[in-house]
Amino acid sequence: MIPPIANNFVAGETADGAVSHVESLNRDGIAGILNLLGEHYTDRAAADADADAYVDLVRQLGATDLDGCVSVKPSQIGLDVGDRAFRENLDRIVDAADAEGVFVWVDMEDHETTDVTLDAVDDLGHRTGGNVGVCVQANLKRTRDDLERLAEVPGKVRLVKGAYNEPASIAYKEKSKVDEVYRDLLEQMFTEFDDGVAVGSHDPHMIAHARRLHEQYGTPYEVQMLMGVREDGQRNLAAADIEMWQYVPYGDKWFSYFYRRVREQKSNALFALRAVAGI
């Protein structure tokens, strides 16, 4: 059983519980991005099992009228086993989701996974007419070039600041620099993308910046935040007619996710304390 402190950040251990959480979000005008917890499988059977679970999940979502989609991690569905295992599992998840009209996000992990992830999304974005999206990280120095490539790919792109501890040779390390680059990359996306801009941030300044860019360029956008973080702010954004999505983790591997979220950065720990205290 998930204890109350972690229950703020994880929507139960089962798909039924996660789907029920999305139903409650929808009542507040918020859509849900469901993520079955798990990553870095080196055993093909474990990767296949989670891919099976995602296929079942998209079919379950497809049978409802809920505003929800799914998000998968490459290392969860076979990338650490091999590129072939990853693509076979991602392809069947996306094919099932496309048949059900359910969108699929592909999360970005550390820099060693970037190229194979982008290649897969490029291929599947064209194949499905844009029913896939991908996350990119502002702290990586390569991201400006990656966004130029993704501007030509049907689908959505989520921009986050980046939580992985990458080498200084390929990543910006200073928070102020990452913030500066995030603002610049957002403007690049609003300028070069016709659609599909997802602002993955809890930072009110970045969200306000995105709103100004939308007013300037007219590019549609959405805001994405984690379950359990600034939930009053999420409801306020939805009430202001800003498309709001909540990233909703679930599953029996909740402890490692919760522990990592709290310890990644001091700011995340503060968010956790505020969320638990209700402030």
Side-chain angles (χ1 to χ4, degrees), residues 19-78:
V19 171
S20 294
H21 181 76
V22 173
E23 185 176 6
S24 67
L25 288 176
N26 285 183
R27 289 195 288 269
D28 288 331
I30 301 170
I33 306 171
L34 291 176
N35 171 244
L36 172 63
L37 292 168
E39 57 190 301
H40 295 300
Y41 295 148
T42 56
D43 175 61
R44 177 72 192 253
D48 289 351
D50 273 16
D52 290 342
Y54 270 112
V55 170
D56 291 341
L57 177 61
V58 298
R59 289 174 177 160
Q60 184 174 355
L61 280 174
T64 73
D65 59 357
L66 295 177
D67 197 356
C69 64
V70 302
S71 191
V72 303
K73 285 185 169 57
S75 71
Q76 177 182 15
I77 58 170

Side-chain angles (χ1 to χ4, degrees), residues 108-115 118 135-147 159-173 177-178 181-182 185:
M108 189 65 72
E109 298 179 276
D110 66 79
H111 73 278
E112 294 181 349
T113 70
T114 304
D115 286 322
L118 293 180
C135 177
V136 296
Q137 300 166 110
N139 66 330
L140 292 183
K141 296 176 181 179
R142 61 174 288 168
T143 298
R144 186 175 302 279
D145 292 334
D146 291 336
L147 287 175
L159 180 67
V160 300
K161 292 183 181 179
Y164 291 88
N165 185 22
E166 305 285 17
S169 59
I170 63 167
Y172 303 109
K173 308 297 285 186
K177 180 62 177 179
V178 175
V181 172
Y182 190 96
L185 294 178

Side-chain angles (χ1 to χ4, degrees), residues 9 13 23 70 86 118 135 163 166 197 202 243-244 267 270:
F9 303 94
E13 294 186 299
E23 185 176 6
V70 302
F86 164 57
L118 293 180
C135 177
E166 305 285 17
V197 175
H202 303 98
E243 185 175 348
M244 182 70 230
S267 58
L270 181 59

Side-chain angles (χ1 to χ4, degrees), residues 3-241:
I5 188 171
N7 215 33
N8 289 284
F9 303 94
V10 181
E13 294 186 299
T14 67
D16 287 345
V19 171
S20 294
H21 181 76
V22 173
E23 185 176 6
S24 67
L25 288 176
N26 285 183
R27 289 195 288 269
D28 288 331
I30 301 170
I33 306 171
L34 291 176
N35 171 244
L36 172 63
L37 292 168
E39 57 190 301
H40 295 300
Y41 295 148
T42 56
D43 175 61
R44 177 72 192 253
D48 289 351
D50 273 16
D52 290 342
Y54 270 112
V55 170
D56 291 341
L57 177 61
V58 298
R59 289 174 177 160
Q60 184 174 355
L61 280 174
T64 73
D65 59 357
L66 295 177
D67 197 356
C69 64
V70 302
S71 191
V72 303
K73 285 185 169 57
S75 71
Q76 177 182 15
I77 58 170
L79 187 56
D80 288 353
V81 178
D83 292 1
R84 179 177 177 181
F86 164 57
R87 279 306 306 268
E88 288 177 351
N89 279 330
L90 181 60
D91 285 3
R92 63 194 185 92
I93 293 168
V94 170
D95 287 346
D98 198 36
E100 297 290 346
V102 175
F103 191 84
V104 177
W105 282 100
V106 183
D107 288 342
M108 189 65 72
E109 298 179 276
D110 66 79
H111 73 278
E112 294 181 349
T113 70
T114 304
D115 286 322
V116 67
T117 302
L118 293 180
D119 288 346
V121 169
D122 192 334
D123 177 41
L124 291 168
H126 285 98
R127 185 201 303 179
T128 63
N131 202 46
V132 295
V134 68
C135 177
V136 296
Q137 300 166 110
N139 66 330
L140 292 183
K141 296 176 181 179
R142 61 174 288 168
T143 298
R144 186 175 302 279
D145 292 334
D146 291 336
L147 287 175
E148 290 182 4
R149 171 186 182 180
L150 290 168
E152 305 302 321
V153 178
K156 296 182 180 181
V157 178
R158 175 201 302 142
L159 180 67
V160 300
K161 292 183 181 179
Y164 291 88
N165 185 22
E166 305 285 17
S169 59
I170 63 167
Y172 303 109
K173 308 297 285 186
E174 295 290 332
K175 180 182 181 302
S176 59
K177 180 62 177 179
V178 175
D179 286 349
E180 175 190 338
V181 172
Y182 190 96
R183 292 188 188 94
D184 291 344
L185 294 178
L186 266 187
E187 183 156 16
Q188 178 183 352
M189 293 171 73
F190 274 88
T191 303
E192 298 181 3
F193 286 27
D194 295 325
D195 197 356
V197 175
V199 182
S201 178
H202 303 98
D203 187 335
H205 300 292
M206 298 304 172
I207 295 167
H209 182 54
R211 194 168 191 170
R212 290 191 294 269
L213 291 169
H214 168 68
E215 292 170 354
Q216 180 177 356
Y217 297 105
T219 310
Y221 76 107
E222 63 193 55
V223 176
Q224 299 182 5
M225 296 188 194
L226 295 172
M227 177 182 175
V229 181
R230 293 196 62 226
E231 291 204 353
D232 285 343
Q234 295 181 33
R235 287 186 286 271
N236 290 339
L237 289 169
D241 292 326

